[in-house]
PDB file of all heavy atoms in Angstrom:
ATOM      1  N   ARG K 373      -7.659   5.476 -27.538  1.00  0.00           N
ATOM      2  CA  ARG K 373      -7.481   4.526 -28.638  1.00  0.00           C
ATOM      3  C   ARG K 373      -6.048   4.629 -29.147  1.00  0.00           C
ATOM      4  O   ARG K 373      -5.619   5.678 -29.601  1.00  0.00           O
ATOM      5  CB  ARG K 373      -8.464   4.843 -29.769  1.00  0.00           C
ATOM      6  CG  ARG K 373      -9.931   4.723 -29.380  1.00  0.00           C
ATOM      7  CD  ARG K 373     -10.840   5.269 -30.453  1.00  0.00           C
ATOM      8  NE  ARG K 373     -10.628   6.703 -30.638  1.00  0.00           N
ATOM      9  CZ  ARG K 373     -11.254   7.429 -31.563  1.00  0.00           C
ATOM     10  NH1 ARG K 373     -12.109   6.868 -32.391  1.00  0.00           N
ATOM     11  NH2 ARG K 373     -11.013   8.728 -31.671  1.00  0.00           N
ATOM     12  N   LEU K 374      -5.336   3.517 -29.079  1.00  0.00           N
ATOM     13  CA  LEU K 374      -3.942   3.496 -29.485  1.00  0.00           C
ATOM     14  C   LEU K 374      -3.727   2.528 -30.635  1.00  0.00           C
ATOM     15  O   LEU K 374      -4.413   1.497 -30.733  1.00  0.00           O
ATOM     16  CB  LEU K 374      -3.042   3.080 -28.319  1.00  0.00           C
ATOM     17  CG  LEU K 374      -3.136   3.890 -27.025  1.00  0.00           C
ATOM     18  CD1 LEU K 374      -2.158   3.327 -25.998  1.00  0.00           C
ATOM     19  CD2 LEU K 374      -2.857   5.355 -27.278  1.00  0.00           C
ATOM     20  N   ASP K 375      -2.765   2.838 -31.487  1.00  0.00           N
ATOM     21  CA  ASP K 375      -2.356   1.927 -32.551  1.00  0.00           C
ATOM     22  C   ASP K 375      -1.680   0.710 -31.921  1.00  0.00           C
ATOM     23  O   ASP K 375      -0.754   0.851 -31.119  1.00  0.00           O
ATOM     24  CB  ASP K 375      -1.391   2.662 -33.489  1.00  0.00           C
ATOM     25  CG  ASP K 375      -0.975   1.826 -34.692  1.00  0.00           C
ATOM     26  OD1 ASP K 375      -1.330   0.629 -34.755  1.00  0.00           O
ATOM     27  OD2 ASP K 375      -0.275   2.371 -35.561  1.00  0.00           O
ATOM     28  N   ASP K 376      -2.138  -0.484 -32.286  1.00  0.00           N
ATOM     29  CA  ASP K 376      -1.549  -1.682 -31.692  1.00  0.00           C
ATOM     30  C   ASP K 376      -0.321  -2.177 -32.442  1.00  0.00           C
ATOM     31  O   ASP K 376       0.259  -3.215 -32.102  1.00  0.00           O
ATOM     32  CB  ASP K 376      -2.579  -2.812 -31.599  1.00  0.00           C
ATOM     33  CG  ASP K 376      -3.041  -3.309 -32.967  1.00  0.00           C
ATOM     34  OD1 ASP K 376      -2.565  -2.786 -33.997  1.00  0.00           O
ATOM     35  OD2 ASP K 376      -3.879  -4.222 -32.993  1.00  0.00           O
ATOM     36  N   GLY K 377       0.102  -1.421 -33.492  1.00  0.00           N
ATOM     37  CA  GLY K 377       1.280  -1.799 -34.253  1.00  0.00           C
ATOM     38  C   GLY K 377       1.031  -2.860 -35.302  1.00  0.00           C
ATOM     39  O   GLY K 377       1.945  -3.250 -36.030  1.00  0.00           O
ATOM     40  N   GLN K 378      -0.203  -3.336 -35.391  1.00  0.00           N
ATOM     41  CA  GLN K 378      -0.555  -4.373 -36.359  1.00  0.00           C
ATOM     42  C   GLN K 378      -1.735  -3.957 -37.220  1.00  0.00           C
ATOM     43  O   GLN K 378      -2.450  -4.797 -37.760  1.00  0.00           O
ATOM     44  CB  GLN K 378      -0.881  -5.683 -35.624  1.00  0.00           C
ATOM     45  CG  GLN K 378       0.279  -6.213 -34.789  1.00  0.00           C
ATOM     46  CD  GLN K 378      -0.108  -7.447 -34.001  1.00  0.00           C
ATOM     47  OE1 GLN K 378      -1.279  -7.812 -33.923  1.00  0.00           O
ATOM     48  NE2 GLN K 378       0.882  -8.107 -33.413  1.00  0.00           N
ATOM     49  N   GLY K 379      -1.924  -2.653 -37.318  1.00  0.00           N
ATOM     50  CA  GLY K 379      -3.015  -2.134 -38.130  1.00  0.00           C
ATOM     51  C   GLY K 379      -4.339  -2.066 -37.397  1.00  0.00           C
ATOM     52  O   GLY K 379      -5.360  -1.702 -37.986  1.00  0.00           O
ATOM     53  N   GLY K 380      -4.338  -2.408 -36.135  1.00  0.00           N
ATOM     54  CA  GLY K 380      -5.557  -2.376 -35.346  1.00  0.00           C
ATOM     55  C   GLY K 380      -5.496  -1.317 -34.258  1.00  0.00           C
ATOM     56  O   GLY K 380      -4.609  -0.463 -34.238  1.00  0.00           O
ATOM     57  N   VAL K 381      -6.451  -1.391 -33.351  1.00  0.00           N
ATOM     58  CA  VAL K 381      -6.549  -0.413 -32.265  1.00  0.00           C
ATOM     59  C   VAL K 381      -6.635  -1.152 -30.937  1.00  0.00           C
ATOM     60  O   VAL K 381      -7.321  -2.175 -30.819  1.00  0.00           O
ATOM     61  CB  VAL K 381      -7.802   0.480 -32.434  1.00  0.00           C
ATOM     62  CG1 VAL K 381      -7.981   1.394 -31.228  1.00  0.00           C
ATOM     63  CG2 VAL K 381      -7.697   1.299 -33.706  1.00  0.00           C
ATOM     64  N   LYS K 382      -5.915  -0.654 -29.953  1.00  0.00           N
ATOM     65  CA  LYS K 382      -6.060  -1.171 -28.597  1.00  0.00           C
ATOM     66  C   LYS K 382      -6.603  -0.056 -27.715  1.00  0.00           C
ATOM     67  O   LYS K 382      -6.311   1.125 -27.924  1.00  0.00           O
ATOM     68  CB  LYS K 382      -4.729  -1.694 -28.058  1.00  0.00           C
ATOM     69  CG  LYS K 382      -3.587  -0.692 -28.037  1.00  0.00           C
ATOM     70  CD  LYS K 382      -2.298  -1.363 -27.561  1.00  0.00           C
ATOM     71  CE  LYS K 382      -1.117  -0.389 -27.608  1.00  0.00           C
ATOM     72  NZ  LYS K 382       0.152  -1.040 -27.203  1.00  0.00           N
ATOM     73  N   LEU K 383      -7.401  -0.430 -26.764  1.00  0.00           N
ATOM     74  CA  LEU K 383      -8.067   0.535 -25.906  1.00  0.00           C
ATOM     75  C   LEU K 383      -7.399   0.601 -24.538  1.00  0.00           C
ATOM     76  O   LEU K 383      -6.984  -0.421 -23.982  1.00  0.00           O
ATOM     77  CB  LEU K 383      -9.548   0.169 -25.741  1.00  0.00           C
ATOM     78  CG  LEU K 383     -10.370   0.090 -27.028  1.00  0.00           C
ATOM     79  CD1 LEU K 383     -11.803  -0.312 -26.699  1.00  0.00           C
ATOM     80  CD2 LEU K 383     -10.345   1.414 -27.781  1.00  0.00           C
ATOM     81  N   VAL K 384      -7.318   1.815 -24.020  1.00  0.00           N
ATOM     82  CA  VAL K 384      -6.744   2.049 -22.694  1.00  0.00           C
ATOM     83  C   VAL K 384      -7.783   2.768 -21.848  1.00  0.00           C
ATOM     84  O   VAL K 384      -8.352   3.776 -22.270  1.00  0.00           O
ATOM     85  CB  VAL K 384      -5.464   2.904 -22.767  1.00  0.00           C
ATOM     86  CG1 VAL K 384      -4.903   3.150 -21.369  1.00  0.00           C
ATOM     87  CG2 VAL K 384      -4.427   2.249 -23.655  1.00  0.00           C
ATOM     88  N   GLN K 385      -8.040   2.246 -20.666  1.00  0.00           N
ATOM     89  CA  GLN K 385      -8.975   2.886 -19.745  1.00  0.00           C
ATOM     90  C   GLN K 385      -8.215   3.907 -18.886  1.00  0.00           C
ATOM     91  O   GLN K 385      -7.280   3.549 -18.167  1.00  0.00           O
ATOM     92  CB  GLN K 385      -9.639   1.841 -18.852  1.00  0.00           C
ATOM     93  CG  GLN K 385     -10.440   0.813 -19.639  1.00  0.00           C
ATOM     94  CD  GLN K 385     -10.992  -0.273 -18.745  1.00  0.00           C
ATOM     95  OE1 GLN K 385     -11.924  -0.032 -17.983  1.00  0.00           O
ATOM     96  NE2 GLN K 385     -10.420  -1.464 -18.841  1.00  0.00           N
ATOM     97  N   VAL K 386      -8.604   5.169 -18.994  1.00  0.00           N
ATOM     98  CA  VAL K 386      -7.957   6.236 -18.231  1.00  0.00           C
ATOM     99  C   VAL K 386      -8.662   6.346 -16.880  1.00  0.00           C
ATOM    100  O   VAL K 386      -9.852   6.635 -16.815  1.00  0.00           O
ATOM    101  CB  VAL K 386      -8.025   7.577 -18.977  1.00  0.00           C
ATOM    102  CG1 VAL K 386      -7.288   8.661 -18.196  1.00  0.00           C
ATOM    103  CG2 VAL K 386      -7.441   7.437 -20.386  1.00  0.00           C
ATOM    104  N   LEU K 387      -7.917   6.089 -15.826  1.00  0.00           N
ATOM    105  CA  LEU K 387      -8.516   6.001 -14.502  1.00  0.00           C
ATOM    106  C   LEU K 387      -8.835   7.373 -13.909  1.00  0.00           C
ATOM    107  O   LEU K 387      -8.096   8.342 -14.098  1.00  0.00           O
ATOM    108  CB  LEU K 387      -7.581   5.247 -13.558  1.00  0.00           C
ATOM    109  CG  LEU K 387      -7.354   3.765 -13.891  1.00  0.00           C
ATOM    110  CD1 LEU K 387      -6.413   3.136 -12.873  1.00  0.00           C
ATOM    111  CD2 LEU K 387      -8.666   3.001 -13.932  1.00  0.00           C
ATOM    112  N   ASP K 388      -9.929   7.421 -13.183  1.00  0.00           N
ATOM    113  CA  ASP K 388     -10.320   8.614 -12.435  1.00  0.00           C
ATOM    114  C   ASP K 388      -9.694   8.494 -11.053  1.00  0.00           C
ATOM    115  O   ASP K 388     -10.311   8.016 -10.100  1.00  0.00           O
ATOM    116  CB  ASP K 388     -11.847   8.687 -12.331  1.00  0.00           C
ATOM    117  CG  ASP K 388     -12.341  10.002 -11.747  1.00  0.00           C
ATOM    118  OD1 ASP K 388     -11.542  10.692 -11.092  1.00  0.00           O
ATOM    119  OD2 ASP K 388     -13.521  10.339 -11.940  1.00  0.00           O
ATOM    120  N   VAL K 389      -8.437   8.904 -10.952  1.00  0.00           N
ATOM    121  CA  VAL K 389      -7.693   8.671  -9.707  1.00  0.00           C
ATOM    122  C   VAL K 389      -8.253   9.479  -8.544  1.00  0.00           C
ATOM    123  O   VAL K 389      -8.176   9.051  -7.385  1.00  0.00           O
ATOM    124  CB  VAL K 389      -6.192   8.953  -9.904  1.00  0.00           C
ATOM    125  CG1 VAL K 389      -5.553   7.870 -10.725  1.00  0.00           C
ATOM    126  CG2 VAL K 389      -5.956  10.313 -10.532  1.00  0.00           C
ATOM    127  N   GLU K 390      -8.808  10.663  -8.823  1.00  0.00           N
ATOM    128  CA  GLU K 390      -9.413  11.432  -7.749  1.00  0.00           C
ATOM    129  C   GLU K 390     -10.588  10.682  -7.136  1.00  0.00           C
ATOM    130  O   GLU K 390     -10.737  10.593  -5.916  1.00  0.00           O
ATOM    131  CB  GLU K 390      -9.884  12.804  -8.261  1.00  0.00           C
ATOM    132  CG  GLU K 390      -8.758  13.745  -8.617  1.00  0.00           C
ATOM    133  CD  GLU K 390      -8.415  13.690 -10.090  1.00  0.00           C
ATOM    134  OE1 GLU K 390      -8.714  12.655 -10.727  1.00  0.00           O
ATOM    135  OE2 GLU K 390      -7.824  14.656 -10.591  1.00  0.00           O
ATOM    136  N   SER K 391     -11.430  10.107  -8.003  1.00  0.00           N
ATOM    137  CA  SER K 391     -12.582   9.351  -7.513  1.00  0.00           C
ATOM    138  C   SER K 391     -12.141   8.098  -6.762  1.00  0.00           C
ATOM    139  O   SER K 391     -12.726   7.735  -5.741  1.00  0.00           O
ATOM    140  CB  SER K 391     -13.489   8.959  -8.686  1.00  0.00           C
ATOM    141  OG  SER K 391     -14.074  10.094  -9.281  1.00  0.00           O
TER     142      SER K 391
END
Side-chain angles (χ1 to χ4, degrees):
R373 298 170 296 177
L374 304 180
D375 184 354
D376 65 0
Q378 300 176 350
V381 174
K382 57 184 177 182
L383 301 179
V384 179
Q385 299 175 72
V386 183
L387 294 180
D388 188 340
V389 287
E390 290 95 337
S391 294

